Amino acid sequence: VLGMSTPAAPAPAPAPATAECQLIQGRPIAQRIQADLKTEIEQLRAQNVALKLVAVMVGENAGSTVYVNQQRKLADSMGIAYELMQLPGTSTEADVIQVVERLNADPAVTGVILQQPMPQQIAIRNIIEKLNPAKDAEGMHPNSLGHVLMGDAHVAPCTASAVMEILAAQGMNLYGKEVVIVGHSDIVGKPLTLMMLNKFGTTTTCHIATSQAHKLQDHLATAEVVVVAVGVARLIKGEWLRPGTVLIDVGINKVGDQIVGDADFESCKLKCAAITPVPGGVGPLTNTMLMKNLVALARAAHH
């Protein structure tokens, strides 16, 4: 009745994860891998092999600065020397290539990471191609990606590797599984498609054209494993998933003062057997995989 006050309805409590839905936390997996890597680093040190990672950053970027600080902290904790080479934002492609070629020739440098984004005047692919593949700590050189294709890579793109480590930690046998990857970026979707195929997953890669053709939901409806990496907040809805799906959410999006993934967590966890939270799922593993690549490069160089 107008004019009469009615008691406010209590706000609905967030739906709890179903009993079957497991929250996959990345940090414990990362810590286990780091412990194994520290043992390997000590063994290399006993053979007089010191590890050094050099990050090349062009200009100022708040996001890159956060990543650099995280990398430095992890490297310090693992006994890996870490150096940041910061070039002015006005640097040309030739300037950056000159630095990369100097690092290629420096025997004290185990691996190099090119911090992205780089300024507009620099085509990152041209820089990556000048890097010695034996120092490719990110696994992004065409030579490294070729080995991912062949299934015999010792380094691979860090975020894609993080996803595979999470699935391995879950005891997930991908053989014959219906796998849907949403997103086909060079750093996640494309290499991950190859890595899933190498494990005999029946792999479908969806992207913006799939969505525009209104076919994304059709693919997701049959998926047993879903990996989403597109940078669109809460794109994937729970009602699109089949019950018992394992969902790995690579997305990191800022919505107001919240960090959210590419999946709508609240609705998806009601359908999933297991799901990674954002933050706290894939993120903690990414820099660990960078260090794993670095150890692999050191081993290969001194084999």
Side-chain angles (χ1 to χ4, degrees):
V1 180
L2 282 173
M4 288 181 65
S5 63
T6 53
T18 56
E20 297 81 24
C21 183
Q22 181 196 350
L23 207 57
I24 307 171
Q25 298 287 358
R27 197 164 304 283
I29 303 169
Q31 286 168 342
R32 283 203 301 274
I33 295 167
Q34 287 164 25
D36 291 343
L37 291 176
K38 281 180 187 174
T39 304
E40 287 198 61
I41 290 165
E42 282 163 18
Q43 289 167 353
L44 285 163
R45 195 176 291 126
Q47 298 164 36
N48 293 319
V49 178
L51 275 68
K52 182 177 180 179
L53 177 62
V54 178
V56 178
M57 185 167 150
V58 184
E60 297 286 342
N61 180 279
S64 289
T65 302
V66 170
Y67 283 127
V68 162
N69 290 337
Q70 289 173 345
Q71 289 164 11
R72 187 190 299 280
K73 189 176 169 188
L74 181 57
D76 288 349
S77 76
M78 298 180 74
I80 294 169
Y82 186 92
E83 182 184 341
L84 172 63
M85 296 193 74
Q86 187 150 15
L87 307 180
T90 52
S91 301
T92 64
E93 210 170 273
D95 294 333
V96 184
I97 287 170
Q98 197 173 17
V99 167
V100 164
E101 288 177 339
R102 202 162 69 237
L103 295 171
N104 284 344
D106 185 345
V109 175
T110 313
V112 176
I113 175 169
L114 303 168
Q115 296 293 343
Q116 297 187 51
M118 286 203 173
Q120 239 175 336
Q121 72 272 19
I122 295 168
I124 187 69
R125 282 190 180 186
N126 294 344
I127 310 299
I128 290 169
E129 286 183 10
K130 295 295 182 187
L131 182 63
N132 178 355
K135 297 193 178 190
D136 175 26
E138 285 179 284
M140 286 302 299
H141 190 280
N143 183 288
S144 306
L145 292 171
H147 283 290
V148 172
L149 174 71
M150 301 300 288
D152 62 359
H154 62 276
V155 297
C158 301
T159 307
S161 294
V163 172
M164 297 305 288
E165 287 285 356
I166 286 170
L167 292 171
Q170 290 298 107
M172 170 68 70
N173 179 5
L174 292 164
Y175 194 95
K177 287 275 190 301
E178 292 289 333
V179 178
V180 170
I181 296 165
V182 186
H184 74 316
S185 69
D186 292 349
I187 59 172
V188 187
K190 287 179 186 174
L192 197 51
T193 297
L194 296 170
M195 291 158 113
M196 294 287 188
L197 287 171
N198 290 337
K199 296 290 184 185
F200 288 88
T202 304
T203 308
T204 302
T205 308
C206 298
H207 39 70
I208 191 163
T210 319
S211 200
Q212 287 169 347
H214 308 292
K215 292 176 180 172
L216 178 58
Q217 293 179 42
D218 295 342
H219 289 292
L220 290 170
T222 63
E224 295 168 273
V225 178
V226 173
V227 183
V228 56
V230 288
V232 178
R234 300 182 177 129
L235 171 71
I236 308 298
K237 311 295 184 226
E239 55 266 30
W240 300 353
L241 304 176
R242 70 187 254 178
T245 299
V246 173
L247 195 156
I248 311 296
D249 191 346
V250 178
I252 300 177
N253 309 286
K254 200 161 187 196
V255 176
D257 58 356
Q258 260 191 311
I259 301 290
V260 301
D262 289 349
D264 178 48
F265 183 78
E266 292 302 319
S267 65
C268 288
K269 71 181 179 183
L270 300 176
K271 280 284 194 74
C272 289
I275 187 170
T276 55
V278 176
V282 178
L285 272 155
T286 307
N287 282 334
T288 300
M289 301 319 296
L290 177 65
M291 302 307 163
K292 186 173 181 178
N293 280 349
L294 193 75
V295 170
L297 293 175
R299 260 203 326 265
H302 295 87
H303 188 58

